[in-house]
Amino acid sequence: MDIVNLASAQQAVALLFSEPQYWLVVIPGIIIGLFFGATPGLQTSMAMAIFLPMTMYMDFLQAMLFLTAIFTGSGFGAGVPAILMNIPGTSSAIATAFDGYPMARKGEHNEALGLALGSSTFGVLLGYILLFFLIKPMSLFVLKLGPSEMFIVILWGLTLIASLTGKHVVKGLIAGLVGLLVGTIGFSDNGILRGTMGLDILADGIPVIPAMMGMFAASELFKLVKSEFLVEDESQRKVRISYILKGFRKAFSYPVILIRGSLIGVIIGAVPGVGSSVSNLLSYIETKRRDKDPDSYGKGNPKGVIASESANSTSEAGSMATLLALGIPGGGATAVMLAAFAMHNITGGPQFIREQMDVVYAIIFANFAQAFLLIILGLLLIPVLASIIKVKMTYLVPSVLVLATAGSFGLTGNMSGPGTVLVFALVGWVFRRYNFSVPAAVIGMLLGKMAEGSLVQTLQISGGEFSYILQRPITIAILVLLIFSLFGSKLIEKLTKKAK
């Protein structure tokens, strides 16, 4: 099988430079993505959905370049509030906050932003290079993942996330289980009502994004009320391009973390429905697990920021692989792109790959250019986005609460959003106080419905027979990895002691 079609690649280059309007939409797209990503509560998919109608007046390639530019800008933009305010702009920047925010509290916000920019641009670039070479093999592999594999992948992801809590793994697993149960509240896909405790307001389920904002952001703000500034030392509150560039360069001094994060991002991003929300956490966990000093994570370790940002940016390319090759969106953002496909009467999948490979390559090549444009636009706009560090906490705390509340209202269209932020702020405060993992609970909520759907489909296919699992080698392989994640480190520790 030919992995790369050189003739189509040449046609793609000619196509991209045949019309200047293809490039005119890229810069506005990146700027839109940066601002939407940097504003908590405004998701990448929301930005793309708002601007989707504009693509009706573009041809298909121009529309895809505009939407992927928003996707690229938002991937980095989401890391800015995660670093400066401990509020992930989107769920794909959750792990960025773990060490980015402690770095900001220590006055290293410039370096952290530079690390995020360097990792993001590297992730976008490597992700699309991998997509260029692997789009056909990846599409064949994704087809082999059935509901049983998806269910075990979700459980494995939660197991890994629970290990973030170090000595409190059991509490992490409990938090993840609670998150999964919360994620299944309301009507199921089959119309069955669960977990509402008789409250009609819960029939549509818990709005996950407002819940995430409450658990991550609002509960953290309770701790900041007595502080005067986010960074106490006045000399460290300045936004300096030279320090941002220093962080940018520093990101490339950890090539193993960058490449490993990018590979995780591409693979996880290619799994429909999982995407960057999980890839950044898995990359962070794997980096922490392999580090000689895992206890330094969560306290401002630059490698944590690099691991997260390289993975969430690369997952864009992974989700594009399933969209282009299979016509299946990898998440909310690619679902909007699928709508753009439909608006232009184009169906993704093997036929699209076979007949319009030049367009596929043109999209990939244009994203190489977007990675470099992101560096320029990111450096120009970071001072604007980072000016938040100079605002007094007496103004910042209520402003962020108002922003989170307004953003949650915008997401739900009613008071259930702000109410959810308030309730889950209290839940997050209790979780933090008693060492239950907030990230595990949030990821559980994000994946609850998917886990339930995969489990139900597995039971329907298997007829409830456990022997069905034994016929699925990929499921068994992932199950072994899950068990190894739980007990592997202790087993290796015991074997090492015996060997000594």
Side-chain angles (χ1 to χ4, degrees):
M1 181 182 69
D2 293 332
I3 294 178
V4 175
N5 187 327
L6 292 177
S8 296
Q10 291 175 346
Q11 291 171 7
V13 174
L15 182 62
L16 275 176
F17 292 98
S18 62
E19 300 288 347
Q21 63 260 30
Y22 288 142
W23 297 100
L24 294 177
V25 297
V26 171
I27 291 177
I30 293 175
I31 293 173
I32 290 167
L34 280 170
F35 277 94
F36 269 79
T39 306
L42 302 183
Q43 298 289 304
T44 307
S45 54
M46 183 190 294
M48 293 168 69
I50 289 172
F51 289 94
L52 179 64
M54 288 179 62
T55 63
M56 288 181 65
Y57 305 99
M58 305 175 186
D59 68 25
F60 175 69
L61 178 58
Q62 191 180 22
M64 293 306 295
L65 298 191
F66 180 60
L67 293 175
T68 54
I70 294 176
F71 204 167
T72 300
S74 179
F76 165 65
V80 176
I83 291 168
L84 297 179
M85 294 183 286
N86 200 27
I87 304 175
T90 68
S91 55
S92 64
I94 289 174
T96 306
F98 295 163
D99 281 287
Y101 181 66
M103 285 183 74
R105 293 303 307 272
K106 291 191 290 186
E108 298 172 356
H109 51 281
N110 291 299
E111 187 178 350
L113 290 167
L115 286 168
L117 181 60
S119 306
S120 293
T121 50
F122 179 86
V124 172
L125 196 59
L126 183 59
Y128 277 95
I129 289 173
L130 291 172
L131 181 60
F132 176 66
F133 288 106
L134 300 178
I135 184 168
K136 287 186 178 178
M138 282 179 66
S139 64
L140 295 174
F141 176 75
V142 170
L143 276 176
K144 294 180 180 178
L145 294 180
S148 62
E149 285 83 12
M150 292 295 294
F151 180 68
I152 301 297
V153 163
I154 291 167
L155 292 185
W156 181 36
L158 281 176
T159 304
L160 291 172
I161 293 158
S163 68
L164 275 172
T165 47
K167 297 177 181 177
H168 306 286
V169 176
V170 175
K171 287 186 176 180
L173 290 172
I174 292 171
L177 181 62
V178 169
L180 276 177
L181 292 174
V182 170
T184 57
I185 288 176
F187 280 106
S188 72
D189 293 338
N190 299 323
I192 299 171
L193 198 61
R194 303 83 33 91
T196 61
M197 297 174 289
L199 299 173
D200 293 339
I201 196 172
L202 296 177
D204 292 331
I206 301 289
V208 176
I209 302 302
M212 181 189 78
M213 293 165 72
M215 291 193 78
F216 270 123
S219 64
E220 177 68 22
L221 290 175
F222 294 158
K223 291 165 48 182
L224 298 176
V225 172
K226 294 181 181 178
S227 305
E228 189 177 2
F229 286 95
L230 199 61
V231 177
E232 296 293 351
D233 188 345
E234 185 179 356
S235 63
Q236 295 180 331
R237 286 201 291 268
K238 296 178 180 177
V239 178
R240 295 172 175 165
I241 293 294
S242 60
Y243 283 28
I244 293 171
L245 285 170
K246 180 184 173 186
F248 182 87
R249 289 192 296 270
K250 188 174 181 178
F252 296 94
S253 61
Y254 298 99
V256 175
I257 298 174
L258 280 173
I259 293 171
R260 182 172 58 228
S262 299
L263 291 175
I264 290 173
V266 167
I267 294 168
I268 300 298
V271 180
V274 179
S276 57
S277 300
V278 176
S279 66
N280 75 112
L281 282 158
L282 286 181
S283 174
Y284 181 88
I285 293 162
E286 192 58 26
T287 302
K288 179 183 175 183
R289 187 189 299 277
R290 290 173 178 270
D291 201 283
K292 293 178 181 176
D293 185 18
D295 292 337
S296 65
Y297 286 76
K299 299 172 185 173
N301 191 326
K303 288 182 273 188
V305 178
I306 296 169
S308 171
E309 287 294 308
S310 58
N312 67 20
S313 299
T314 320
S315 60
E316 174 189 338
S319 62
M320 286 295 291
T322 50
L323 176 68
L324 294 170
L326 304 175
I328 300 173
T334 40
V336 178
M337 288 189 194
L338 188 64
F341 271 59
M343 284 169 56
H344 290 83
N345 295 318
I346 290 176
T347 304
Q351 186 177 354
F352 177 68
I353 293 286
R354 188 168 56 249
E355 296 178 357
Q356 302 202 45
M357 184 55 90
D358 57 336
V359 176
V360 173
Y361 284 154
I363 294 170
I364 292 171
F365 292 160
N367 275 275
F368 295 160
Q370 285 181 19
F372 293 103
L373 284 171
L374 179 62
I375 297 173
I376 299 168
L377 294 171
L379 289 173
L380 288 173
L381 294 175
I382 277 178
V384 179
L385 299 172
S387 57
I388 197 85
I389 207 85
K390 301 174 184 174
V391 180
K392 283 189 173 182
M393 296 306 293
T394 50
Y395 301 116
L396 185 62
V397 170
S399 299
V400 172
L401 283 174
V402 167
L403 192 63
T405 305
S408 63
F409 184 84
L411 284 167
T412 60
N414 53 45
M415 289 305 293
S416 66
T420 304
V421 171
L422 177 61
V423 170
F424 279 87
L426 295 173
V427 174
W429 180 79
V430 172
F431 270 46
R432 290 177 194 275
R433 182 175 175 83
Y434 295 101
N435 297 316
F436 285 89
S437 170
V438 169
V442 170
I443 293 301
M445 284 191 284
L446 285 168
L447 299 180
K449 282 193 181 299
M450 189 199 301
E452 183 194 25
S454 300
L455 179 61
V456 169
Q457 286 179 30
T458 303
L459 291 172
Q460 288 173 338
I461 294 170
S462 66
E465 295 292 333
F466 182 77
S467 58
Y468 171 77
I469 300 292
L470 301 176
Q471 302 167 18
R472 308 283 298 182
I474 298 177
T475 305
I476 294 172
I478 302 170
L479 195 58
V480 169
L481 289 172
L482 188 155
I483 295 169
F484 186 78
S485 301
L486 279 175
F487 306 108
S489 58
K490 289 184 178 177
L491 183 64
I492 291 171
E493 191 178 335
K494 284 185 178 179
L495 290 173
T496 307
K497 283 182 180 177
K498 279 186 178 181
K500 289 180 179 177

PDB file of all heavy atoms in Angstrom, residues 60 135-136 139 143 320-329 338 341 346-357 360:
ATOM      1  N   PHE A  60     -14.780  24.864  -0.583  1.00  0.00           N
ATOM      2  CA  PHE A  60     -14.560  23.865   0.470  1.00  0.00           C
ATOM      3  C   PHE A  60     -13.180  23.993   1.120  1.00  0.00           C
ATOM      4  O   PHE A  60     -13.049  23.995   2.352  1.00  0.00           O
ATOM      5  CB  PHE A  60     -14.735  22.460  -0.111  1.00  0.00           C
ATOM      6  CG  PHE A  60     -14.419  21.369   0.871  1.00  0.00           C
ATOM      7  CD1 PHE A  60     -15.253  21.147   1.960  1.00  0.00           C
ATOM      8  CD2 PHE A  60     -13.279  20.594   0.729  1.00  0.00           C
ATOM      9  CE1 PHE A  60     -14.962  20.156   2.887  1.00  0.00           C
ATOM     10  CE2 PHE A  60     -12.980  19.596   1.649  1.00  0.00           C
ATOM     11  CZ  PHE A  60     -13.824  19.378   2.727  1.00  0.00           C
ATOM     12  N   ILE A 135      -2.078   8.812   7.632  1.00  0.00           N
ATOM     13  CA  ILE A 135      -3.534   8.925   7.586  1.00  0.00           C
ATOM     14  C   ILE A 135      -4.205   7.606   7.148  1.00  0.00           C
ATOM     15  O   ILE A 135      -5.211   7.195   7.723  1.00  0.00           O
ATOM     16  CB  ILE A 135      -3.967  10.109   6.681  1.00  0.00           C
ATOM     17  CG1 ILE A 135      -5.488  10.259   6.750  1.00  0.00           C
ATOM     18  CG2 ILE A 135      -3.482   9.955   5.251  1.00  0.00           C
ATOM     19  CD1 ILE A 135      -5.984  11.544   6.153  1.00  0.00           C
ATOM     20  N   LYS A 136      -3.615   6.926   6.200  1.00  0.00           N
ATOM     21  CA  LYS A 136      -4.222   5.665   5.763  1.00  0.00           C
ATOM     22  C   LYS A 136      -4.084   4.556   6.802  1.00  0.00           C
ATOM     23  O   LYS A 136      -5.079   3.905   7.163  1.00  0.00           O
ATOM     24  CB  LYS A 136      -3.623   5.229   4.428  1.00  0.00           C
ATOM     25  CG  LYS A 136      -4.114   6.071   3.255  1.00  0.00           C
ATOM     26  CD  LYS A 136      -3.595   5.506   1.941  1.00  0.00           C
ATOM     27  CE  LYS A 136      -4.117   6.309   0.769  1.00  0.00           C
ATOM     28  NZ  LYS A 136      -3.586   5.808  -0.529  1.00  0.00           N
ATOM     29  N   SER A 139      -6.440   5.220   9.800  1.00  0.00           N
ATOM     30  CA  SER A 139      -7.858   5.003   9.531  1.00  0.00           C
ATOM     31  C   SER A 139      -8.204   3.521   9.602  1.00  0.00           C
ATOM     32  O   SER A 139      -9.278   3.141  10.070  1.00  0.00           O
ATOM     33  CB  SER A 139      -8.225   5.570   8.153  1.00  0.00           C
ATOM     34  OG  SER A 139      -7.532   4.866   7.138  1.00  0.00           O
ATOM     35  N   LEU A 143     -10.759   1.695  12.686  1.00  0.00           N
ATOM     36  CA  LEU A 143     -11.916   0.864  12.328  1.00  0.00           C
ATOM     37  C   LEU A 143     -12.012  -0.392  13.195  1.00  0.00           C
ATOM     38  O   LEU A 143     -13.080  -0.972  13.356  1.00  0.00           O
ATOM     39  CB  LEU A 143     -11.821   0.467  10.849  1.00  0.00           C
ATOM     40  CG  LEU A 143     -12.354   1.475   9.836  1.00  0.00           C
ATOM     41  CD1 LEU A 143     -12.089   0.973   8.428  1.00  0.00           C
ATOM     42  CD2 LEU A 143     -13.841   1.730  10.043  1.00  0.00           C
ATOM     43  N   MET A 320      -8.534  15.013  13.017  1.00  0.00           N
ATOM     44  CA  MET A 320      -8.713  15.279  11.587  1.00  0.00           C
ATOM     45  C   MET A 320      -8.552  14.000  10.773  1.00  0.00           C
ATOM     46  O   MET A 320      -9.169  13.838   9.715  1.00  0.00           O
ATOM     47  CB  MET A 320      -7.695  16.317  11.117  1.00  0.00           C
ATOM     48  CG  MET A 320      -7.977  17.739  11.568  1.00  0.00           C
ATOM     49  SD  MET A 320      -9.489  18.419  10.878  1.00  0.00           S
ATOM     50  CE  MET A 320      -9.024  18.580   9.160  1.00  0.00           C
ATOM     51  N   ALA A 321      -7.715  13.069  11.279  1.00  0.00           N
ATOM     52  CA  ALA A 321      -7.511  11.804  10.561  1.00  0.00           C
ATOM     53  C   ALA A 321      -8.810  11.023  10.449  1.00  0.00           C
ATOM     54  O   ALA A 321      -9.171  10.529   9.376  1.00  0.00           O
ATOM     55  CB  ALA A 321      -6.448  10.967  11.268  1.00  0.00           C
ATOM     56  N   THR A 322      -9.530  10.904  11.571  1.00  0.00           N
ATOM     57  CA  THR A 322     -10.787  10.146  11.528  1.00  0.00           C
ATOM     58  C   THR A 322     -11.853  10.891  10.744  1.00  0.00           C
ATOM     59  O   THR A 322     -12.691  10.283  10.086  1.00  0.00           O
ATOM     60  CB  THR A 322     -11.298   9.876  12.957  1.00  0.00           C
ATOM     61  OG1 THR A 322     -11.309  11.095  13.689  1.00  0.00           O
ATOM     62  CG2 THR A 322     -10.443   8.866  13.672  1.00  0.00           C
ATOM     63  N   LEU A 323     -11.812  12.229  10.812  1.00  0.00           N
ATOM     64  CA  LEU A 323     -12.796  13.010  10.051  1.00  0.00           C
ATOM     65  C   LEU A 323     -12.574  12.841   8.551  1.00  0.00           C
ATOM     66  O   LEU A 323     -13.512  12.589   7.787  1.00  0.00           O
ATOM     67  CB  LEU A 323     -12.702  14.485  10.436  1.00  0.00           C
ATOM     68  CG  LEU A 323     -13.621  15.423   9.648  1.00  0.00           C
ATOM     69  CD1 LEU A 323     -15.078  15.163  10.007  1.00  0.00           C
ATOM     70  CD2 LEU A 323     -13.269  16.878   9.902  1.00  0.00           C
ATOM     71  N   LEU A 324     -11.318  12.987   8.120  1.00  0.00           N
ATOM     72  CA  LEU A 324     -11.020  12.920   6.685  1.00  0.00           C
ATOM     73  C   LEU A 324     -11.129  11.495   6.152  1.00  0.00           C
ATOM     74  O   LEU A 324     -11.689  11.262   5.080  1.00  0.00           O
ATOM     75  CB  LEU A 324      -9.608  13.457   6.426  1.00  0.00           C
ATOM     76  CG  LEU A 324      -9.391  14.948   6.707  1.00  0.00           C
ATOM     77  CD1 LEU A 324      -7.914  15.288   6.658  1.00  0.00           C
ATOM     78  CD2 LEU A 324     -10.171  15.801   5.728  1.00  0.00           C
ATOM     79  N   ALA A 325     -10.602  10.521   6.922  1.00  0.00           N
ATOM     80  CA  ALA A 325     -10.535   9.154   6.411  1.00  0.00           C
ATOM     81  C   ALA A 325     -11.829   8.375   6.596  1.00  0.00           C
ATOM     82  O   ALA A 325     -12.169   7.521   5.783  1.00  0.00           O
ATOM     83  CB  ALA A 325      -9.389   8.406   7.100  1.00  0.00           C
ATOM     84  N   LEU A 326     -12.544   8.680   7.700  1.00  0.00           N
ATOM     85  CA  LEU A 326     -13.747   7.889   8.012  1.00  0.00           C
ATOM     86  C   LEU A 326     -15.032   8.695   7.983  1.00  0.00           C
ATOM     87  O   LEU A 326     -16.127   8.131   8.001  1.00  0.00           O
ATOM     88  CB  LEU A 326     -13.599   7.256   9.410  1.00  0.00           C
ATOM     89  CG  LEU A 326     -12.351   6.381   9.619  1.00  0.00           C
ATOM     90  CD1 LEU A 326     -12.274   5.940  11.056  1.00  0.00           C
ATOM     91  CD2 LEU A 326     -12.406   5.187   8.691  1.00  0.00           C
ATOM     92  N   GLY A 327     -14.909  10.041   8.005  1.00  0.00           N
ATOM     93  CA  GLY A 327     -16.105  10.865   8.081  1.00  0.00           C
ATOM     94  C   GLY A 327     -16.710  10.860   9.465  1.00  0.00           C
ATOM     95  O   GLY A 327     -17.882  11.185   9.648  1.00  0.00           O
ATOM     96  N   ILE A 328     -15.883  10.482  10.487  1.00  0.00           N
ATOM     97  CA  ILE A 328     -16.356  10.433  11.872  1.00  0.00           C
ATOM     98  C   ILE A 328     -15.661  11.542  12.647  1.00  0.00           C
ATOM     99  O   ILE A 328     -14.427  11.588  12.691  1.00  0.00           O
ATOM    100  CB  ILE A 328     -16.031   9.071  12.532  1.00  0.00           C
ATOM    101  CG1 ILE A 328     -16.701   7.944  11.758  1.00  0.00           C
ATOM    102  CG2 ILE A 328     -16.460   9.062  13.992  1.00  0.00           C
ATOM    103  CD1 ILE A 328     -16.293   6.562  12.242  1.00  0.00           C
ATOM    104  N   PRO A 329     -16.408  12.475  13.272  1.00  0.00           N
ATOM    105  CA  PRO A 329     -15.750  13.534  14.035  1.00  0.00           C
ATOM    106  C   PRO A 329     -15.134  12.992  15.312  1.00  0.00           C
ATOM    107  O   PRO A 329     -15.728  12.164  15.999  1.00  0.00           O
ATOM    108  CB  PRO A 329     -16.898  14.508  14.341  1.00  0.00           C
ATOM    109  CG  PRO A 329     -18.135  13.693  14.260  1.00  0.00           C
ATOM    110  CD  PRO A 329     -17.870  12.605  13.263  1.00  0.00           C
ATOM    111  N   LEU A 338     -17.491  18.601  10.201  1.00  0.00           N
ATOM    112  CA  LEU A 338     -18.336  17.658   9.463  1.00  0.00           C
ATOM    113  C   LEU A 338     -19.562  18.377   8.889  1.00  0.00           C
ATOM    114  O   LEU A 338     -20.011  18.076   7.771  1.00  0.00           O
ATOM    115  CB  LEU A 338     -18.775  16.518  10.388  1.00  0.00           C
ATOM    116  CG  LEU A 338     -19.510  15.364   9.725  1.00  0.00           C
ATOM    117  CD1 LEU A 338     -18.608  14.649   8.727  1.00  0.00           C
ATOM    118  CD2 LEU A 338     -20.017  14.374  10.766  1.00  0.00           C
ATOM    119  N   PHE A 341     -18.497  19.994   5.834  1.00  0.00           N
ATOM    120  CA  PHE A 341     -18.477  18.992   4.758  1.00  0.00           C
ATOM    121  C   PHE A 341     -19.863  18.912   4.117  1.00  0.00           C
ATOM    122  O   PHE A 341     -20.017  18.945   2.892  1.00  0.00           O
ATOM    123  CB  PHE A 341     -18.099  17.619   5.318  1.00  0.00           C
ATOM    124  CG  PHE A 341     -16.623  17.332   5.340  1.00  0.00           C
ATOM    125  CD1 PHE A 341     -15.745  18.138   6.050  1.00  0.00           C
ATOM    126  CD2 PHE A 341     -16.095  16.244   4.667  1.00  0.00           C
ATOM    127  CE1 PHE A 341     -14.391  17.875   6.081  1.00  0.00           C
ATOM    128  CE2 PHE A 341     -14.739  15.958   4.677  1.00  0.00           C
ATOM    129  CZ  PHE A 341     -13.888  16.779   5.397  1.00  0.00           C
ATOM    130  N   ILE A 346     -20.010  17.364   0.551  1.00  0.00           N
ATOM    131  CA  ILE A 346     -18.851  16.469   0.519  1.00  0.00           C
ATOM    132  C   ILE A 346     -18.965  15.482   1.674  1.00  0.00           C
ATOM    133  O   ILE A 346     -19.291  15.862   2.804  1.00  0.00           O
ATOM    134  CB  ILE A 346     -17.533  17.268   0.604  1.00  0.00           C
ATOM    135  CG1 ILE A 346     -17.325  18.052  -0.699  1.00  0.00           C
ATOM    136  CG2 ILE A 346     -16.335  16.349   0.874  1.00  0.00           C
ATOM    137  CD1 ILE A 346     -16.122  18.942  -0.709  1.00  0.00           C
ATOM    138  N   THR A 347     -18.714  14.219   1.410  1.00  0.00           N
ATOM    139  CA  THR A 347     -18.758  13.183   2.428  1.00  0.00           C
ATOM    140  C   THR A 347     -17.352  12.651   2.651  1.00  0.00           C
ATOM    141  O   THR A 347     -16.681  12.223   1.710  1.00  0.00           O
ATOM    142  CB  THR A 347     -19.676  12.020   1.997  1.00  0.00           C
ATOM    143  OG1 THR A 347     -20.970  12.561   1.712  1.00  0.00           O
ATOM    144  CG2 THR A 347     -19.783  10.970   3.104  1.00  0.00           C
ATOM    145  N   GLY A 348     -16.898  12.725   3.927  1.00  0.00           N
ATOM    146  CA  GLY A 348     -15.585  12.192   4.249  1.00  0.00           C
ATOM    147  C   GLY A 348     -15.576  10.676   4.225  1.00  0.00           C
ATOM    148  O   GLY A 348     -16.625  10.036   4.238  1.00  0.00           O
ATOM    149  N   GLY A 349     -14.398  10.111   4.187  1.00  0.00           N
ATOM    150  CA  GLY A 349     -14.303   8.656   4.192  1.00  0.00           C
ATOM    151  C   GLY A 349     -13.353   8.163   3.126  1.00  0.00           C
ATOM    152  O   GLY A 349     -12.677   8.959   2.452  1.00  0.00           O
ATOM    153  N   PRO A 350     -13.257   6.843   2.966  1.00  0.00           N
ATOM    154  CA  PRO A 350     -12.308   6.273   2.009  1.00  0.00           C
ATOM    155  C   PRO A 350     -12.457   6.827   0.594  1.00  0.00           C
ATOM    156  O   PRO A 350     -11.459   7.066  -0.086  1.00  0.00           O
ATOM    157  CB  PRO A 350     -12.634   4.774   2.065  1.00  0.00           C
ATOM    158  CG  PRO A 350     -13.229   4.569   3.412  1.00  0.00           C
ATOM    159  CD  PRO A 350     -13.983   5.820   3.722  1.00  0.00           C
ATOM    160  N   GLN A 351     -13.711   7.059   0.176  1.00  0.00           N
ATOM    161  CA  GLN A 351     -13.918   7.590  -1.185  1.00  0.00           C
ATOM    162  C   GLN A 351     -13.346   9.005  -1.309  1.00  0.00           C
ATOM    163  O   GLN A 351     -12.741   9.356  -2.329  1.00  0.00           O
ATOM    164  CB  GLN A 351     -15.410   7.586  -1.525  1.00  0.00           C
ATOM    165  CG  GLN A 351     -15.688   7.978  -2.968  1.00  0.00           C
ATOM    166  CD  GLN A 351     -17.160   7.896  -3.320  1.00  0.00           C
ATOM    167  OE1 GLN A 351     -17.976   7.433  -2.509  1.00  0.00           O
ATOM    168  NE2 GLN A 351     -17.515   8.338  -4.495  1.00  0.00           N
ATOM    169  N   PHE A 352     -13.532   9.801  -0.252  1.00  0.00           N
ATOM    170  CA  PHE A 352     -12.998  11.168  -0.250  1.00  0.00           C
ATOM    171  C   PHE A 352     -11.475  11.136  -0.314  1.00  0.00           C
ATOM    172  O   PHE A 352     -10.851  11.895  -1.066  1.00  0.00           O
ATOM    173  CB  PHE A 352     -13.465  11.895   1.017  1.00  0.00           C
ATOM    174  CG  PHE A 352     -12.911  13.285   1.170  1.00  0.00           C
ATOM    175  CD1 PHE A 352     -13.283  14.296   0.304  1.00  0.00           C
ATOM    176  CD2 PHE A 352     -12.004  13.586   2.176  1.00  0.00           C
ATOM    177  CE1 PHE A 352     -12.764  15.584   0.435  1.00  0.00           C
ATOM    178  CE2 PHE A 352     -11.489  14.863   2.318  1.00  0.00           C
ATOM    179  CZ  PHE A 352     -11.874  15.858   1.450  1.00  0.00           C
ATOM    180  N   ILE A 353     -10.870  10.245   0.476  1.00  0.00           N
ATOM    181  CA  ILE A 353      -9.407  10.104   0.463  1.00  0.00           C
ATOM    182  C   ILE A 353      -8.928   9.692  -0.922  1.00  0.00           C
ATOM    183  O   ILE A 353      -7.934  10.199  -1.442  1.00  0.00           O
ATOM    184  CB  ILE A 353      -8.970   9.044   1.500  1.00  0.00           C
ATOM    185  CG1 ILE A 353      -9.246   9.538   2.917  1.00  0.00           C
ATOM    186  CG2 ILE A 353      -7.494   8.690   1.332  1.00  0.00           C
ATOM    187  CD1 ILE A 353      -8.319  10.589   3.416  1.00  0.00           C
ATOM    188  N   ARG A 354      -9.651   8.752  -1.532  1.00  0.00           N
ATOM    189  CA  ARG A 354      -9.224   8.199  -2.813  1.00  0.00           C
ATOM    190  C   ARG A 354      -9.358   9.230  -3.944  1.00  0.00           C
ATOM    191  O   ARG A 354      -8.476   9.341  -4.794  1.00  0.00           O
ATOM    192  CB  ARG A 354     -10.063   6.952  -3.129  1.00  0.00           C
ATOM    193  CG  ARG A 354      -9.586   6.177  -4.350  1.00  0.00           C
ATOM    194  CD  ARG A 354     -10.257   4.816  -4.439  1.00  0.00           C
ATOM    195  NE  ARG A 354     -11.707   4.889  -4.454  1.00  0.00           N
ATOM    196  CZ  ARG A 354     -12.483   4.471  -3.459  1.00  0.00           C
ATOM    197  NH1 ARG A 354     -11.947   3.943  -2.388  1.00  0.00           N
ATOM    198  NH2 ARG A 354     -13.793   4.569  -3.524  1.00  0.00           N
ATOM    199  N   GLU A 355     -10.481   9.994  -3.934  1.00  0.00           N
ATOM    200  CA  GLU A 355     -10.770  10.882  -5.055  1.00  0.00           C
ATOM    201  C   GLU A 355     -10.233  12.306  -4.883  1.00  0.00           C
ATOM    202  O   GLU A 355     -10.036  13.003  -5.878  1.00  0.00           O
ATOM    203  CB  GLU A 355     -12.292  10.938  -5.281  1.00  0.00           C
ATOM    204  CG  GLU A 355     -12.881   9.579  -5.686  1.00  0.00           C
ATOM    205  CD  GLU A 355     -14.374   9.630  -5.867  1.00  0.00           C
ATOM    206  OE1 GLU A 355     -14.948  10.713  -5.611  1.00  0.00           O
ATOM    207  OE2 GLU A 355     -14.956   8.599  -6.245  1.00  0.00           O
ATOM    208  N   GLN A 356     -10.049  12.757  -3.633  1.00  0.00           N
ATOM    209  CA  GLN A 356      -9.618  14.148  -3.415  1.00  0.00           C
ATOM    210  C   GLN A 356      -8.414  14.223  -2.478  1.00  0.00           C
ATOM    211  O   GLN A 356      -8.372  15.048  -1.574  1.00  0.00           O
ATOM    212  CB  GLN A 356     -10.785  14.970  -2.855  1.00  0.00           C
ATOM    213  CG  GLN A 356     -12.010  14.979  -3.753  1.00  0.00           C
ATOM    214  CD  GLN A 356     -12.918  16.156  -3.481  1.00  0.00           C
ATOM    215  OE1 GLN A 356     -12.482  17.283  -3.338  1.00  0.00           O
ATOM    216  NE2 GLN A 356     -14.206  15.884  -3.408  1.00  0.00           N
ATOM    217  N   MET A 357      -7.453  13.354  -2.725  1.00  0.00           N
ATOM    218  CA  MET A 357      -6.259  13.342  -1.888  1.00  0.00           C
ATOM    219  C   MET A 357      -5.507  14.665  -1.971  1.00  0.00           C
ATOM    220  O   MET A 357      -4.852  15.086  -1.015  1.00  0.00           O
ATOM    221  CB  MET A 357      -5.345  12.175  -2.298  1.00  0.00           C
ATOM    222  CG  MET A 357      -4.126  12.014  -1.420  1.00  0.00           C
ATOM    223  SD  MET A 357      -4.516  11.853   0.324  1.00  0.00           S
ATOM    224  CE  MET A 357      -4.668  10.075   0.443  1.00  0.00           C
ATOM    225  N   VAL A 360      -6.942  16.873   0.629  1.00  0.00           N
ATOM    226  CA  VAL A 360      -6.507  16.415   1.951  1.00  0.00           C
ATOM    227  C   VAL A 360      -5.089  16.896   2.240  1.00  0.00           C
ATOM    228  O   VAL A 360      -4.803  17.452   3.306  1.00  0.00           O
ATOM    229  CB  VAL A 360      -6.575  14.867   2.032  1.00  0.00           C
ATOM    230  CG1 VAL A 360      -5.963  14.377   3.351  1.00  0.00           C
ATOM    231  CG2 VAL A 360      -8.008  14.390   1.905  1.00  0.00           C
TER     232      VAL A 360
END
